[in-house]
Amino acid sequence: MPIWNPDFECMERSDLDKLQGERLKQIAAYAYHKIPIYRRKFEELGIAPDDINGLDDLGRLPFTTKQDLRDEYPFNNFAVPVEEVVRLHASSGTTGKPTVGGYTQNDLDLWAEVMARTVTSCGVTSKDVAHNAYGYGLFTGGLGFHLGYQTVGATVVPVSGGLTRRQLMLMEDFGATVITCTPSYSLVLAEEAAELGIDFKSRMKVRVGIFGAEPWTEEMRVKIENRLNLEAYDIYGLTEIIGPGVSVECEHHNGMHIFEDHFLPEIIDPKTGGQLPFGEEGELVFTTLTKEAMPVIRYRTRDRTVLHQEKCACGRTMVRMEKVRGRTDDMLIVRGVNVFPSLIEKALLSVDGLEPQYQIILDRPKDRLDKLEIWVEASLTFFEPIDTQALENLRKTAENELSQTLGISARVKLMGPSTIERSIGKAVRVVDKRKLYND
Ligand code: DLL
């Protein structure tokens, strides 16, 4: 498959290391001189830009956390005056103020470059009609993909999220060959299509889907590929670094290639902050090597994954990150046992008869142990007509699968089709009511 920029994407490791080292030195000095919070952080650690001479010095640099960026809200962590910023984006925080992303024109050009690499990696060319259902607005998904599609010359349909029926009509009428949205929204499209009697195989031309912005498992990939009759690619990114365009899968689907000539990755132990070797799971950390408006040094993403450095069969030399396994802060502690939402999804989707629509409900009835309940939809066939015995068997199978996977018991509540709230953007999977008692 074509590669957008082989000079960089397939660069010899030794050349890439050298380039990263030079860029790291430059960005460290730039951040120190232009952004007060970095000067402060360097001084606290007793280091100066001259101490950073290459990649080996990366571990000496200070970390940046989401809280650091919040404290500098809205623009204090910009390295350029606001007049030079031509675009602002923001990620909706669950609490308080959002995290802001600022871009100079050069930053937008960089974004166009990495998004062109991204869509090319998924097989998109100028011949494609790209139905872009990521939200347009402050969220980086819509406009980020828009830039990439325009750069490769694809026909972009900037449909944004929502109005699902209309989306299906446009996909069919415009002959969309590529679709981009969150994985959870792709299932909403599939569901609505099924309700309207639209068969993806016979009526749609979509062959590629590029899904990200929220965690999803391999089991979820299988469901999506079958229902939408396409090849599904995982894409990762975050507002603090650039938005989408940090990493993406290639046709081999063996991890997401990180565009590391621009975004330098590390894996650390989230507890100690120490660097971990390739192949070990930990927290993903990024340093932007070329950004102008908002360079970040050693940004702690709180996303958990594993990095691999072996060259890929596609020819790219860029490091690959495995699918995000969850966040360092999404681990639920239920009756003292660590429970990861991604494991719950994996267990549920391995049970025939369950739909990929679920919510994890945690509660702490007064003076009682934590209650873990999983609400999950059963397939339509169980309800036409309703087969209570089969539903009871399904519930038992699901509870058994969950306790095998999690090591603790969970109650499963089977729900009828379309009863769990659908989202047009990122899905809400965990409802933790226990917080009500702790506050
Ligand atoms: O979600 C940017 C994006 C847009 C990525 C479109 C991919 C496609 P934020 O809203 O700042 O940015 O959220 C970033 O979302 O730290 C992860 O926790 C999560 N995330 C993003 N992509 C993935 C993925 C956009 N492929 C946060 N798998 C990140 C798992 C993901 N989690």
Side-chain angles (χ1 to χ4, degrees):
M1 276 236 280
I3 294 178
W4 181 256
N5 193 340
D7 285 352
F8 287 94
E9 292 178 76
C10 308
M11 203 176 219
E12 282 299 330
R13 188 79 240 169
S14 53
D15 294 337
L16 187 54
D17 284 349
K18 206 166 140 238
L19 179 74
Q20 288 176 326
E22 283 160 9
R23 289 182 170 176
L24 181 66
K25 188 172 161 57
Q26 280 165 10
I27 208 77
Y30 179 66
Y32 175 89
H33 290 295
K34 301 280 186 181
I35 309 174
I37 170 190
Y38 280 119
R39 180 180 288 254
R40 247 183 1 251
K41 280 177 175 282
F42 276 51
E43 282 169 2
E44 272 163 25
L45 290 177
I47 57 166
D50 279 350
D51 294 324
I52 307 303
N53 290 306
L55 275 189
D56 291 344
D57 297 320
L58 180 59
R60 302 184 63 186
L61 288 165
F63 287 117
T64 309
T65 62
K66 202 175 185 74
Q67 190 57 46
D68 288 330
L69 299 183
R70 286 224 173 97
D71 291 345
E72 302 305 303
Y73 178 87
F75 305 144
N76 288 345
N77 58 318
F78 286 4
V80 298
V82 183
E83 300 91 274
E84 284 173 39
V85 171
V86 298
R87 176 86 70 77
L88 292 172
H89 279 282
S91 77
S92 47
T94 39
T95 50
K97 304 276 192 195
T99 316
V100 179
Y103 306 70
T104 61
Q105 186 54 53
N106 283 338
D107 292 334
L108 286 188
D109 294 346
L110 161 65
W111 203 11
E113 157 74 20
V114 288
M115 283 311 294
R117 291 185 192 180
T118 296
V119 300
T120 306
S121 178
C122 307
V124 177
T125 69
S126 60
K127 295 197 182 73
D128 280 298
V129 175
H131 183 93
N132 188 15
Y134 281 114
Y136 278 65
L138 285 176
F139 177 55
T140 51
L143 284 158
F145 267 94
H146 194 93
L147 268 179
Y149 288 137
Q150 270 189 329
T151 309
V152 303
T155 309
V156 54
V157 184
V159 68
S160 195
L163 298 176
T164 308
R165 261 173 206 216
R166 191 159 154 270
Q167 298 230 2
L168 290 166
M169 179 188 81
L170 297 177
M171 279 170 78
E172 188 177 9
D173 294 349
F174 293 174
T177 50
V178 178
I179 168 154
T180 36
C181 58
T182 54
S184 52
Y185 190 61
S186 77
L187 289 171
V188 176
L189 282 166
E191 200 169 55
E192 185 82 24
E195 229 159 74
L196 297 171
I198 299 173
D199 174 28
F200 263 81
K201 241 188 206 133
S202 58
R203 296 208 5 215
M204 299 283 185
K205 291 196 189 136
V206 185
R207 58 180 179 82
V208 165
I210 315 176
F211 306 116
E214 65 185 11
W216 53 307
T217 56
E218 284 303 327
E219 287 74 13
M220 185 70 96
R221 189 202 301 268
V222 175
K223 299 261 180 206
I224 292 174
E225 291 191 331
N226 288 338
R227 289 181 187 191
L228 285 97
N229 190 42
L230 48 70
E231 184 171 352
Y233 290 80
D234 195 0
I235 165 158
Y236 171 88
L238 59 168
T239 314
E240 293 85 344
I241 302 302
I242 199 157
V246 174
S247 66
V248 69
E249 287 179 346
C250 65
E251 69 268 29
H252 297 287
H253 302 282
N254 56 356
M256 294 175 272
H257 289 281
I258 296 172
F259 298 122
E260 22 152 10
D261 47 334
H262 298 290
F263 313 117
L264 181 63
E266 294 169 80
I267 291 287
I268 62 160
D269 177 333
K271 288 208 183 77
T272 64
Q275 286 174 322
L276 293 176
F278 288 107
E280 279 190 31
E281 180 184 323
E283 179 179 352
L284 183 61
V285 170
F286 280 109
T287 300
T288 64
L289 293 176
T290 50
K291 271 181 59 194
E292 274 182 355
M294 213 182 98
V296 285
I297 291 184
R298 304 193 83 199
Y299 181 70
R300 294 187 58 160
T301 65
R302 296 191 282 187
D303 294 318
R304 290 183 296 111
T305 186
V306 181
L307 295 182
H308 297 281
Q309 205 184 29
E310 305 79 41
K311 191 173 166 179
C312 179
C314 71
R316 290 180 184 80
T317 47
M318 310 249 122
V319 158
R320 282 167 289 128
M321 60 182 267
E322 284 185 16
K323 251 181 169 330
V324 172
R325 295 184 180 181
R327 295 176 52 80
T328 54
D329 53 3
D330 77 351
M331 187 181 76
L332 304 166
I333 303 183
V334 184
R335 290 171 243 141
V337 177
N338 299 348
V339 173
F340 291 100
S342 57
L343 277 185
I344 295 182
E345 179 174 306
K346 205 172 151 64
L348 290 177
L349 297 194
S350 68
V351 177
D352 267 352
L354 293 181
E355 292 296 303
Q357 298 292 350
Y358 66 94
Q359 254 183 345
I360 302 164
I361 316 283
L362 276 158
D363 207 351
R364 183 172 293 157
K366 214 164 189 308
D367 302 328
R368 302 263 300 280
L369 288 176
D370 291 347
K371 202 169 89 185
L372 172 62
E373 202 169 68
I374 319 284
W375 296 7
V376 56
E377 290 180 13
S379 302
L380 190 59
T381 49
F382 290 91
F383 298 92
E384 293 185 322
I386 189 155
D387 185 342
T388 39
Q389 187 55 51
L391 279 167
E392 182 54 19
N393 292 343
L394 178 64
R395 192 180 63 75
K396 283 196 184 130
T397 310
E399 285 187 350
N400 189 38
E401 188 64 37
L402 280 164
S403 72
Q404 299 285 335
T405 310
L406 305 178
I408 56 163
S409 64
R411 263 180 57 87
V412 168
K413 187 166 156 191
L414 292 180
M415 313 281 288
S418 304
T419 45
I420 288 174
E421 197 179 337
R422 307 293 192 256
S423 76
I424 53 170
K426 300 184 192 234
V428 179
R429 301 282 193 207
V430 181
V431 180
D432 195 344
K433 298 185 185 164
R434 297 178 304 178
K435 294 212 176 86
L436 296 176
Y437 303 103
N438 298 337
D439 286 346

Coordinates of all heavy atoms in Angstrom, one line a residue, residues 91 134 139-141 212-215 234-240 243-244 303 324 327 426, ligand 1:
S91 N -10.6 20.1 24.5 CA -11.3 18.9 24.8 C -12.2 19.1 26.0 O -11.8 19.8 26.9 CB -10.2 17.8 25.1 OG -9.7 18.0 26.3
Y134 N -17.0 12.4 12.5 CA -16.5 12.9 13.8 C -17.0 14.3 14.0 O -17.2 15.1 13.0 CB -14.9 13.0 13.8 CG -14.2 11.7 14.0 CD1 -13.5 11.1 13.0 CD2 -14.3 11.1 15.2 CE1 -12.8 9.9 13.2 CE2 -13.7 9.9 15.5 CZ -12.9 9.3 14.5 OH -12.3 8.1 14.7
F139 N -13.9 20.0 19.3 CA -13.3 18.6 19.2 C -12.4 18.6 18.0 O -12.8 19.0 16.9 CB -14.5 17.6 19.2 CG -14.0 16.2 19.1 CD1 -13.1 15.7 20.0 CD2 -14.4 15.4 18.0 CE1 -12.7 14.3 19.9 CE2 -14.0 14.1 17.9 CZ -13.1 13.5 18.9
T140 N -11.3 17.9 18.2 CA -10.3 17.9 17.1 C -10.6 16.9 16.0 O -10.0 16.9 14.9 CB -8.9 17.5 17.7 OG1 -9.0 16.3 18.5 CG2 -8.3 18.6 18.5
G141 N -11.5 15.9 16.3 CA -11.8 14.8 15.3 C -12.2 15.3 13.9 O -11.6 14.9 12.9
G212 N -11.6 5.9 16.3 CA -10.8 6.2 17.5 C -11.5 7.2 18.4 O -12.7 7.3 18.3
A213 N -10.7 7.8 19.2 CA -11.1 8.8 20.2 C -11.7 8.2 21.5 O -12.0 8.9 22.4 CB -12.1 9.8 19.6
E214 N -11.8 6.8 21.5 CA -12.2 6.1 22.7 C -11.7 4.7 22.6 O -11.4 4.2 21.5 CB -13.8 6.1 22.8 CG -14.4 5.3 21.7 CD -16.0 5.4 21.7 OE1 -16.5 6.2 22.5 OE2 -16.6 4.6 21.0
P215 N -11.5 4.1 23.8 CA -11.0 2.7 23.7 C -12.0 1.7 23.1 O -13.2 1.9 23.3 CB -10.8 2.3 25.2 CG -11.4 3.4 26.0 CD -11.8 4.5 25.1
D234 N -7.7 1.4 13.7 CA -7.7 2.1 14.9 C -6.8 3.4 14.8 O -5.7 3.3 14.2 CB -7.1 1.2 16.0 CG -7.4 1.8 17.4 OD1 -8.0 2.8 17.5 OD2 -7.0 1.1 18.4
I235 N -7.3 4.5 15.3 CA -6.5 5.7 15.2 C -6.5 6.4 16.6 O -7.5 6.4 17.3 CB -7.0 6.7 14.2 CG1 -6.4 8.1 14.5 CG2 -8.6 6.9 14.3 CD1 -6.4 9.1 13.4
Y236 N -5.3 6.9 17.0 CA -5.2 7.4 18.3 C -4.6 8.9 18.3 O -3.8 9.2 17.4 CB -4.2 6.6 19.1 CG -3.7 7.2 20.4 CD1 -4.5 6.9 21.6 CD2 -2.6 8.0 20.5 CE1 -4.1 7.4 22.8 CE2 -2.2 8.5 21.8 CZ -3.0 8.2 22.9 OH -2.6 8.8 24.1
G237 N -5.1 9.7 19.2 CA -4.6 11.0 19.3 C -5.2 11.8 20.5 O -6.1 11.3 21.1
L238 N -4.7 12.9 20.8 CA -5.2 13.7 21.9 C -4.9 15.2 21.6 O -4.0 15.6 21.0 CB -4.7 13.3 23.2 CG -3.2 13.3 23.5 CD1 -3.0 13.1 25.0 CD2 -2.5 12.1 22.8
T239 N -5.9 16.0 22.2 CA -5.8 17.5 22.0 C -4.5 18.1 22.4 O -4.0 18.9 21.7 CB -7.0 18.1 22.8 OG1 -8.2 17.4 22.6 CG2 -7.2 19.5 22.4
E240 N -4.0 17.6 23.5 CA -2.8 18.2 24.1 C -1.6 18.0 23.1 O -0.6 18.8 23.2 CB -2.4 17.6 25.4 CG -3.4 17.9 26.5 CD -4.6 16.9 26.5 OE1 -4.8 16.2 25.5 OE2 -5.3 16.8 27.5
G243 N -4.3 16.3 18.4 CA -5.6 15.8 18.0 C -5.4 14.5 17.4 O -4.4 13.8 17.7
P244 N -6.3 14.0 16.5 CA -5.9 12.8 15.8 C -4.7 13.0 14.9 O -4.4 14.1 14.6 CB -7.2 12.6 14.9 CG -7.8 13.9 14.7 CD -7.5 14.7 16.0
D303 N -2.9 7.2 29.4 CA -3.3 6.0 28.6 C -2.3 4.9 28.8 O -1.1 5.1 28.8 CB -3.4 6.4 27.1 CG -4.5 7.4 26.8 OD1 -5.6 7.2 27.4 OD2 -4.3 8.3 26.0
V324 N -4.9 0.9 23.0 CA -4.9 1.4 24.3 C -5.7 0.4 25.2 O -6.8 0.0 24.9 CB -5.6 2.8 24.4 CG1 -5.7 3.3 25.8 CG2 -4.7 3.8 23.6
R327 N -7.1 3.6 30.8 CA -6.4 4.7 31.3 C -5.8 4.4 32.7 O -6.4 3.5 33.4 CB -7.3 5.9 31.3 CG -7.7 6.3 29.9 CD -8.6 7.4 29.8 NE -8.3 8.6 30.6 CZ -7.4 9.5 30.2 NH1 -6.8 9.4 29.0 NH2 -7.1 10.6 30.9
K426 N -18.0 10.3 22.0 CA -17.5 9.2 22.9 C -18.5 8.6 23.8 O -19.3 9.3 24.4 CB -16.4 9.9 23.8 CG -15.3 10.5 23.0 CD -14.2 11.1 23.9 CE -13.2 12.0 23.1 NZ -11.8 11.6 23.2
Ligands
DLL1 O1 -10.0 12.0 21.0 C1 -8.6 13.0 19.3 C2 -9.0 12.0 18.3 C3 -10.1 12.3 17.4 C4 -8.4 10.7 18.2 C5 -10.5 11.4 16.5 C6 -8.9 9.8 17.3 C7 -9.9 10.1 16.4 P1 -9.3 14.1 23.0 O2 -10.7 14.4 23.0 O3 -8.3 15.1 23.6 O4 -8.7 13.8 21.6 O5 -9.2 12.7 23.8 C8 -7.9 12.1 24.0 O6 -9.0 9.9 24.0 O7 -6.0 10.4 25.8 C9 -7.4 8.6 25.0 O8 -7.7 8.3 26.3 C10 -8.7 8.5 24.2 N1 -8.4 8.0 22.8 C11 -8.1 8.6 21.7 N2 -8.0 7.7 20.7 C12 -8.1 6.5 21.2 C13 -8.0 5.2 20.7 C14 -9.2 12.8 20.7 N3 -7.8 4.9 19.4 C15 -8.1 10.8 24.7 N4 -8.1 4.2 21.6 C16 -6.8 10.0 24.8 C17 -8.3 4.4 22.9 C18 -8.3 6.7 22.6 N5 -8.4 5.6 23.4

